[in-house]
Amino acid sequence: MPSNGNSGDNGNYEQIFTMEATPIKYGPGASEEVGWELKRLGVGRVMMVTDPGVVEAGIAGRARELIEAEGIQVEVWDRSRVEPTADSLQAAADFAREGDFDGFVAVGGGTSIDTAKVSDLISTHGGEIMDYVNPPVGGGKKPPSPLKPLLAVPTTAGTGAEATTVAILDIPEQQVKTGISHAYMRPDRGVVDPLLTRSLPSEVTSSTGLDVICHAAESYISKPYNERPAVSSPDERPPYQGANPIADMWSSKALEYGGQYLRRAVADGEDTEARGAMMLGATLAGIGFGSAGVHIPHACAYPIAGLKHEYQPPGYPEDHGFVPHGWSVIVTAPAAFRFTYDAQPERHREVAELLAGERIQNHDENTLPDILLSLMKDVGAPRGVRELGYDESDIGALVEGAMKQQRLLVGAPKEATEEDLANILRESLENW
């Protein structure tokens, strides 16, 4: 078993990691079995959580037909908000509490899946959303027992929310994004159908696909689980535990798919092979980072998305300004990995090789960042943080927001001080 040599330190370091994964059904046309899957979970009345775009595409209506054909009652919540806030999640949770549902099905992107997770949590255990939000932003309350069954049917290839234990939300009054995280939040099953992503605009495919790559890269390049302090109780072991041999397998395959197929998926919505590989890659990355965790790029992404709401992303709904999650993450990734390189040079090389699809003999701190920058340019990502509405005067506020994400930053392979984060954000104002 791999070890860092800490096994003799009287339990000062963690010696245990866990690997839990959502049962996944994958393949073109898999969503036609959504009714069968829900019946298998033993539910009789479900809340379907979706969004207007998925309804307009006819995907939600078809799913409802298939579920009702199995004799299951369906009530639809179609107001999931892209980049959800505590208020938008609370509205869905209130609907869930009043609906007397014995199960949930999410049909949509990470927004809909996260909204379903939170609706399930509140309808099962009560309380207010902020009670459960990660500290220091929220109360950090833990659900006392498992939730009602949740089936996740993703329609984007990015968040991997069908395989994770977290729900992400925006807290506008605190100008920060954060989340709710617990093992009971993991969906009971995921149905991953690449045909559902064919109608996605190329910009959405770009952002969500870059999120896949960041999930996988950050989890692969994270502090090893056995270099983290031992927990005093199994209940204290966090969902994000650090790099470990099993998470590495999932993350490395997701990186391979991202490097090989993201450009094709963005270029052609009808490229089923590429769309399928990116959708499967999103799930694989979700399993990987769901165990190992993410760190600096995601910690910086939350204030980038939460501090201002002025950017109007092409290809997305125009009802409110926001920064799509994948783009908010990728803009600082090159500088972040330049910073972490000296802590794990070989791991950075391995990530670069997986993305490039070839062996790299000579590597340095710029090798992985350069590969990421090339990919970003090819799929139309923003040039940097400045394009998203920020300048030098915002660095302090962005650092303050990033420092609130300590549950993520502890997973970085080297400690990032406020000055380090400021330098990363400054370098990321314009990546090219």
Side-chain angles (χ1 to χ4, degrees), residues 326-387:
W327 285 349
S328 71
V329 171
I330 199 67
V331 288
T332 63
F337 291 131
R338 202 174 288 120
F339 166 74
T340 56
Y341 175 81
D342 61 355
Q344 296 182 345
E346 280 304 302
R347 290 220 148 208
H348 286 70
R349 177 184 63 80
E350 289 163 7
V351 169
E353 289 180 342
L354 288 162
L355 287 172
E358 61 185 19
R359 288 284 295 169
I360 297 173
Q361 297 297 335
N362 300 312
H363 59 97
D364 59 23
E365 71 275 9
N366 291 311
T367 302
L368 175 56
D370 286 349
I371 288 171
L372 287 173
L373 290 170
S374 174
L375 180 59
M376 290 165 65
K377 292 175 186 177
D378 288 348
V379 299
R383 294 179 61 192
V385 178
R386 192 184 304 277
E387 188 172 328

Side-chain angles (χ1 to χ4, degrees), residues 105-129:
V105 56
V107 183
T111 291
S112 293
I113 297 173
D114 285 358
T115 300
K117 290 176 182 178
V118 174
S119 298
D120 194 353
L121 171 66
I122 299 300
S123 72
T124 303
H125 292 303
E128 300 299 319
I129 286 172

